[in-house]
Amino acid sequence: MTTATESNSAAHNSPATKFPAIANPTAEKSSDIASNINYHAKYSPHFSPLKFEPEQAFYATAESIRDCLIQHWNETYLHFHKVDPKQTYYLSMEYLQGRALTNAIGNLDILDAYADALNKLGHELEEIAEQEKDAALGNGGLGRLASCFLDSMATLNLPAWGYGLRYKYGLFKQRITKEGQGEVAEDWLEKFSPWEVVRHDVVFPVRFFGHVLVSNTGSRKWVGGEVLQALAYNVPIPGYKTKNTNSLRLWEAKASADDFNLFQFNDGKYESAAELHSKAQQICAVLYPGDATEDGKILRLKQQFFLCSASLQVCCQTYMDIIARFKERREGKGPWKWSEFPSKVAVQLNDTHPTLAIPELMRLLLDDEGLGWDEAWDVTTRTIAYTNHTVLPEALEKWSQIVMRKLLPRHMEIIEEIDKRFMAMIHSSRTDMESRLSSMRILDSSNPQKPVVRMANLCVVSSHTVNGVAQLHSDILKSELFADYVSIWPAKFQNKTNGITPRRWLRFCSPELSNIITKWLKTDGWVTKLDLLTGLREFADNEDLHAEWASAKMANKRRLAQYVLQVTGVSIDPNSLFDIQVKRIHEYKRQLMNILGAVYRYKKLKEMSPEERKKATPRTIMFGGKAFATYTNAKRIVKLVNDVGAVVNNDPEISNYLKVVFVPNYNVSVAEVLIPGSELSQHISTAGMEASGTSNMKFSLNGCIIIGTLDGANVEIREEVGEENFFLFGATADEVPRLRKEREDGLFKPDPRFEEAKQFIRSGAFGSYDYNPLLESLEGNSGYGRGDYFLVGYDFPSYMDAQDRVDEAYKDQRRWLKMSILSTAGSGKFSSDRTIAQYAKEIWKIEECIVP
Ligand code: GLC
């Protein structure tokens, strides 16, 4: 690598003359690309023109690629405008896009040319790509799923757009100190994002508070209150090897110049002069702001409504635009009606966060377009579909009716009417369900002090389709959470097992392994037809493949070891078994079980003689994930992992056999380093609690073996890779209720290993922090969040037995490599292309629309 100063002169003295700054948006040859990059370095002067260090080079390269994306984007837009296909609007409060540069260059299939162009300019593509900050507008799997879906929608040439919010400070960036986790604001917009294009012509008003005016004729109108503007920022989403380029549209809230009170300002009242501007800034400041106070609750509801209202106004405007064009083109054939809206528009609610799209669409149709209730209801319920992503009670949103009536008075009226009509339907045609009505209703006023709106119920009643995200989860929705509704509308419920994009999660994050797969399959077709990976099965015992596979894995492990050293200062041995658990920190995901297992392992290693120790399988156990800022036990778990690591990693007797590492600030880019270097990964949630999981799919695709419970998509992964290639343990979802009861009744007999591990922590072996409150959460069970509801104690012995089987299996590297190859070979089902094709066909009824 050249140094920064060398590259300065390299780029701006000699190469600049060799590759003059010339705009060439569709450049394909590396010299033309170099010229286009130079053009941006020179004429998009974000930085001093004298510098061309990696950061400057990143922005110029991104802008160069963006030229090409915009070209494709325009063509896509024009083509869709001409064809008027039915379109999907995917509404999500979260997107975890990660970095975009390598993905864009890769999807455009010009990786080599860009790498070459940057070399010519004195840089390495990999280093330039590292400059980019992650767009981390999400919390976990739900947000990353949305981003994988966008990639597949574009790749499958589907007219489908993502809608979200442009959070300036994201969720948070995780810092690890001796105290445990600290949170600081994300800085992805500190400079600017080269990928977003602000659309000053796409602005919609969004109202809050105010009141409902009733006219003489009885029509209703929402007026007054606070009106902000939603301004669109479009982010291009390129498909893989296709011209189709979709958008992710992120809304930002703003107030206008008219809202700025110049008089007050000149009077020294600076804050009140710009009050609405500061309210606007609050809306898109952070994802999931604290909601302990009423103001916090209002802010969250404002965010949700802001997304829904702005996005639906786009749907309606696009539709009316289509009608207008249709009238022009087919004069005499009669105008379109609103009843045909669902044949042009599909709206998907990503969990309950965008539920307000339902009353908002009703309001637009009733109050603005003048439709009657029945017609508006028919249109709305044929347009909207809902995906449930979790059965956890805390995630099934319930909003205070009082807050809702204050912030959205007209929507509250509409929700009341939906609830009333739902009850009337039950009373008139489903008297057999009357006894179930109180739990099925949308409004729950059982506590008169705290009446709430149940958002999931509103979604189920108002959507044409409700889906879960893995077979087991969809079954649980049907047999438990939504069982009553199933008896009314059996056909409404579907399963769509999640998937991940093979581009980001194999092709680009592990080029070495990808090339091997392509070589052995004699095609790179697997990148879009992931089922082709089954072709690897016939080579699972082939020694040449084993050698190549092992060498690619080792290269990825080395890269990971280097990363770990860089961010934690801990040196890990690439010859040890790399065992990884990365995901949000939550008690149901049971990181606590993993660290207890590590503590037990450490204790046993300490007790062994040096000779005995030599027989142990060396392991590096890595953790990563964010704990929600106000979730005390999750933060204690993070602290415990770090405290255990501090002792184990500094114990010279043990350091050849065990390391425990917490990788800070887990995000998409970190995952792209961790997953390719993994050999074992832990998906160990209490059965029935993890709706699907998607990192399990990423690990498996990368030839990593899973140790896990029969939960979420693990069940299907195990079916696909074969049970002999999966380390299974733990209670099944069916057994869980009985075991919880036993725990509650004091009938549970803990395994001595479980007691020993806890006792070792209590003894102060890992410092003086008081872990008793955390360890007490593993005793007894008196309901959700109280005691060992997640059955760590029950599953611990079978978990430890499974870990022993892992140690044994790893000693036989031939066997392990075969398992690894078969994991990849069995991952074809888990492409988000498959998932999205199913959504398109079975829920949205949209078709591909290929840009010529
Ligand atoms: C939520 C669920 C997780 C699922 C993801 C995507 O994050 O907890 O299990 O994989 O959504 O559906």
Side-chain angles (χ1 to χ4, degrees):
M1 208 21 252
T2 46
T3 65
T5 356
E6 279 165 357
S7 69
N8 271 347
S9 52
H12 274 262
N13 299 331
S14 55
T17 43
K18 261 216 251 150
F19 306 102
I22 301 175
N24 190 346
T26 51
E28 282 175 8
K29 268 175 40 201
S30 65
S31 51
D32 296 342
I33 292 172
S35 282
N36 201 45
I37 294 174
N38 260 342
Y39 172 84
H40 282 287
K42 196 164 170 190
Y43 295 108
S44 314
H46 311 293
F47 300 97
S48 148
L50 296 177
K51 281 194 171 172
F52 196 62
E53 285 169 10
E55 190 186 24
Q56 287 82 1
F58 161 69
Y59 282 102
T61 308
E63 283 173 344
S64 161
I65 276 286
R66 197 179 73 172
D67 289 347
C68 180
L69 296 179
I70 288 179
Q71 170 85 22
H72 288 183
W73 216 1
N74 291 339
E75 289 180 45
T76 307
Y77 179 80
L78 287 173
H79 184 65
F80 288 178
H81 191 77
K82 199 167 103 199
V83 179
D84 284 341
K86 181 174 181 184
Q87 306 192 16
T88 293
Y89 297 78
Y90 195 82
L91 267 47
S92 177
M93 289 294 280
E94 299 186 28
Y95 290 90
L96 277 174
Q97 288 287 98
R99 291 177 176 148
L101 185 74
T102 309
N103 189 67
I105 302 179
N107 274 10
L108 291 169
D109 202 20
I110 38 178
L111 266 168
D112 293 344
Y114 260 85
D116 202 28
L118 281 165
N119 271 331
K120 289 186 183 356
L121 299 173
H123 287 290
E124 297 285 337
L125 175 57
E126 214 172 303
E127 194 197 359
I128 297 308
E130 293 280 310
Q131 300 297 315
E132 184 173 356
K133 306 224 165 165
D134 271 45
L137 311 180
N139 177 29
L142 173 142
R144 183 52 229 176
L145 182 79
S147 293
C148 281
F149 279 6
L150 294 180
D151 184 77
S152 286
M153 291 169 189
T155 299
L156 296 176
N157 304 305
L158 292 168
W161 318 98
Y163 280 82
L165 294 185
R166 181 177 179 265
Y167 308 102
K168 190 166 175 194
Y169 302 116
L171 182 71
F172 62 80
K173 228 163 41 177
Q174 183 188 51
R175 293 266 160 83
I176 300 293
T177 66
K178 282 207 171 62
E179 315 314 317
Q181 170 182 295
E183 302 92 27
V184 293
E186 283 279 0
D187 56 357
W188 74 296
L189 290 178
E190 206 67 348
K191 291 204 169 122
F192 66 102
S193 163
W195 306 110
E196 51 178 29
V197 177
V198 52
R199 285 287 305 271
H200 293 285
D201 58 330
V202 184
V203 183
F204 292 95
V206 178
R207 187 184 304 275
F208 302 107
F209 306 106
H211 59 278
V212 180
L213 261 190
V214 187
S215 77
N216 303 339
T217 61
S219 68
R220 308 178 88 83
K221 195 123 204 123
W222 182 26
V223 295
E226 182 181 299
V227 180
L228 296 175
Q229 308 299 321
L231 170 66
Y233 282 74
N234 287 355
V235 179
I237 307 292
Y240 178 71
K241 290 196 189 177
T242 169
K243 212 179 238 179
N244 281 54
T245 303
N246 290 351
S247 292
L248 165 60
R249 182 166 276 177
L250 299 174
W251 297 108
E252 189 193 65
K254 60 170 216 160
S256 62
D258 281 351
D259 300 318
F260 185 78
N261 192 321
L262 201 54
F263 182 78
Q264 283 188 7
F265 194 83
N266 285 332
D267 206 22
K269 295 177 184 129
Y270 305 124
E271 270 158 33
S272 66
E275 200 190 342
L276 208 56
H277 293 75
S278 107
K279 285 191 171 150
Q281 274 171 19
Q282 291 160 14
I283 291 186
C284 294
V286 292
L287 168 65
Y288 302 138
D291 63 352
T293 62
E294 173 161 317
D295 281 348
K297 291 193 178 71
I298 290 186
L299 182 56
R300 282 221 195 168
L301 203 54
K302 270 184 155 180
Q303 293 182 314
Q304 298 191 348
F305 181 65
F306 193 74
L307 165 67
C308 295
S309 177
S311 309
L312 281 172
Q313 290 182 66
V314 173
C315 301
C316 290
Q317 199 195 53
T318 311
Y319 179 67
M320 287 192 281
D321 177 50
I322 293 175
I323 301 174
R325 272 182 287 133
F326 185 83
K327 277 189 198 156
E328 258 168 46
R329 288 215 307 264
R330 299 185 50 187
E331 205 65 63
K333 295 217 171 161
W336 277 24
K337 302 177 220 76
W338 277 101
S339 63
E340 290 177 32
F341 183 77
S343 68
K344 287 287 168 194
V345 176
V347 173
Q348 187 69 35
L349 307 183
N350 196 24
D351 224 6
T352 53
H353 316 140
T355 305
L356 289 167
I358 296 162
E360 174 66 349
L361 182 54
M362 286 297 287
R363 184 189 69 85
L364 290 167
L365 296 174
L366 292 167
D367 302 354
D368 290 3
E369 300 305 326
L371 272 62
W373 182 276
D374 290 339
E375 201 187 345
W377 181 246
D378 175 67
V379 170
T380 301
T381 52
R382 285 193 293 122
T383 302
I384 290 181
Y386 155 61
T387 305
N388 173 284
H389 292 268
T390 178
V391 296
L392 289 194
E394 77 242 34
L396 292 170
E397 291 182 282
K398 294 191 174 95
W399 284 105
S400 149
Q401 291 180 27
I402 297 163
V403 169
M404 186 94 87
R405 190 168 285 113
K406 190 161 143 192
L407 186 70
L408 303 167
R410 179 65 181 126
H411 298 78
M412 195 57 215
E413 283 185 357
I414 292 171
I415 293 169
E416 281 167 337
E417 186 65 23
I418 297 174
D419 184 60
K420 198 174 106 196
R421 287 173 184 248
F422 175 68
M423 283 198 296
M425 184 276 279
I426 297 288
H427 290 315
S428 68
S429 54
R430 288 304 300 261
T431 44
D432 58 318
M433 295 305 290
E434 274 175 338
S435 65
R436 309 293 309 144
L437 192 55
S438 65
S439 63
M440 293 170 82
R441 278 189 60 182
I442 295 159
L443 300 181
D444 175 7
S445 308
S446 53
N447 178 348
Q449 255 74 57
K450 287 189 181 159
V452 293
V453 182
R454 295 169 175 143
M455 304 306 259
N457 293 18
L458 178 54
C459 283
V460 175
V461 169
S462 316
S463 298
H464 59 83
T465 306
V466 175
N467 76 284
V469 290
Q471 192 60 56
L472 175 67
H473 170 236
S474 298
D475 292 345
I476 291 174
L477 290 184
K478 280 171 50 170
S479 60
E480 293 171 32
L481 202 59
F482 300 142
D484 292 334
Y485 300 106
V486 174
S487 69
I488 304 180
W489 301 297
K492 203 182 256 211
F493 295 85
Q494 295 192 11
N495 172 54
K496 295 285 165 281
T497 297
N498 283 163
I500 54 164
T501 167
R503 271 72 68 186
R504 184 178 293 268
W505 296 114
L506 180 54
R507 177 65 193 86
F508 306 145
C509 74
S510 186
E512 306 82 353
L513 202 63
S514 294
N515 290 339
I516 293 169
I517 295 170
T518 299
K519 178 182 149 194
W520 284 78
L521 293 179
K522 298 201 175 69
T523 168
D524 67 356
W526 59 270
V527 180
T528 47
K529 303 217 167 9
L530 203 61
D531 283 330
L532 292 178
L533 290 179
T534 51
L536 290 172
R537 285 190 182 136
E538 68 175 283
F539 311 115
D541 287 307
N542 186 301
E543 284 183 7
D544 294 335
L545 176 58
H546 278 205
E548 290 174 29
W549 200 268
S551 115
K553 270 276 159 195
M554 184 47 87
N556 289 338
K557 287 177 76 180
R558 290 222 164 86
R559 179 166 64 130
L560 170 52
Q562 221 177 357
Y563 179 76
V564 167
L565 181 64
Q566 180 198 324
V567 296
T568 67
V570 180
S571 150
I572 60 174
D573 178 5
N575 290 306
S576 63
L577 166 61
F578 278 12
D579 165 352
I580 302 185
Q581 187 180 22
V582 279
K583 43 184 84 242
R584 280 180 292 133
I585 312 292
H586 199 293
E587 286 161 287
Y588 87 84
K589 295 178 187 276
R590 301 198 292 192
Q591 283 93 352
L592 192 48
M593 182 151 75
N594 183 356
I595 192 65
L596 283 175
V599 163
Y600 185 80
R601 178 179 288 265
Y602 175 60
K603 185 158 185 286
K604 292 298 120 180
L605 283 167
K606 287 297 279 180
E607 289 163 7
M608 286 177 194
S609 68
E611 279 316 300
E612 275 176 311
R613 236 177 252 144
K614 285 198 182 118
K615 289 186 224 134
T617 300
R619 275 220 202 197
T620 302
I621 307 177
M622 291 174 244
F623 292 79
K626 295 178 182 176
F628 198 70
T630 53
Y631 186 174
T632 311
N633 261 1
K635 290 182 112 172
R636 286 179 179 138
I637 294 171
V638 173
K639 168 112 176 86
L640 177 58
V641 172
N642 280 283
D643 284 352
V644 170
V647 170
V648 171
N649 303 339
N650 292 307
D651 185 333
E653 249 181 358
I654 299 303
S655 71
N656 286 340
Y657 302 97
L658 181 63
K659 288 273 164 73
V660 175
V661 180
F662 191 92
V663 181
N665 200 40
Y666 179 60
N667 63 14
V668 172
S669 313
V670 176
E672 287 168 24
V673 183
L674 285 166
I675 293 170
S678 62
E679 292 174 293
L680 178 77
S681 80
Q682 307 209 21
H683 303 273
I684 57 178
S685 48
T686 320
M689 311 255 21
E690 186 71 271
S692 162
T694 41
S695 73
N696 43 6
M697 302 170 182
K698 295 165 198 162
F699 281 104
S700 185
L701 179 64
N702 279 272
C704 171
I705 326 294
I706 291 178
I707 177 167
T709 46
L710 279 182
D711 199 16
N714 283 358
V715 177
E716 290 158 78
I717 293 176
R718 182 165 169 269
E719 271 165 25
E720 297 292 314
V721 303
E723 54 187 62
E724 64 289 4
N725 303 310
F726 189 107
F727 295 101
L728 182 70
F729 73 93
T732 61
D734 295 347
E735 294 165 342
V736 163
R738 175 178 57 83
L739 297 169
R740 281 193 179 134
K741 182 80 176 58
E742 283 179 18
R743 200 83 165 93
E744 195 181 321
D745 297 344
L747 299 172
F748 168 71
K749 297 245 174 337
D751 185 269
R753 291 171 284 185
F754 182 54
E755 294 305 298
E756 202 176 329
K758 286 187 293 179
Q759 194 43 46
F760 196 38
I761 297 171
R762 283 205 181 94
S763 74
F766 305 103
S768 57
Y769 182 83
D770 181 9
Y771 280 109
N772 279 312
L774 180 63
L775 297 172
E776 273 151 27
S777 76
L778 298 173
E779 305 303 330
N781 166 32
S782 42
Y784 185 76
R786 280 166 292 140
D788 193 15
Y789 184 81
F790 301 111
L791 301 176
V792 175
Y794 179 83
D795 275 347
F796 193 74
S798 68
Y799 171 68
M800 293 307 281
D801 294 346
Q803 288 289 18
D804 290 344
R805 298 201 300 276
V806 171
D807 287 328
E808 272 320 294
Y810 197 71
K811 286 181 184 151
D812 178 355
Q813 277 295 304
R814 275 190 56 135
R815 173 173 166 210
W816 192 273
L817 279 165
K818 179 174 180 181
M819 292 173 82
S820 171
I821 293 166
L822 290 173
S823 291
T824 303
S827 295
K829 173 174 173 187
F830 305 104
S831 169
S832 47
D833 297 342
R834 187 265 312 144
T835 315
I836 283 299
Q838 291 177 331
Y839 274 92
K841 185 158 177 254
E842 295 155 21
I843 300 181
W844 303 332
K845 322 277 183 208
I846 61 168
E847 279 168 9
E848 66 171 17
C849 184
I850 303 177
V851 178

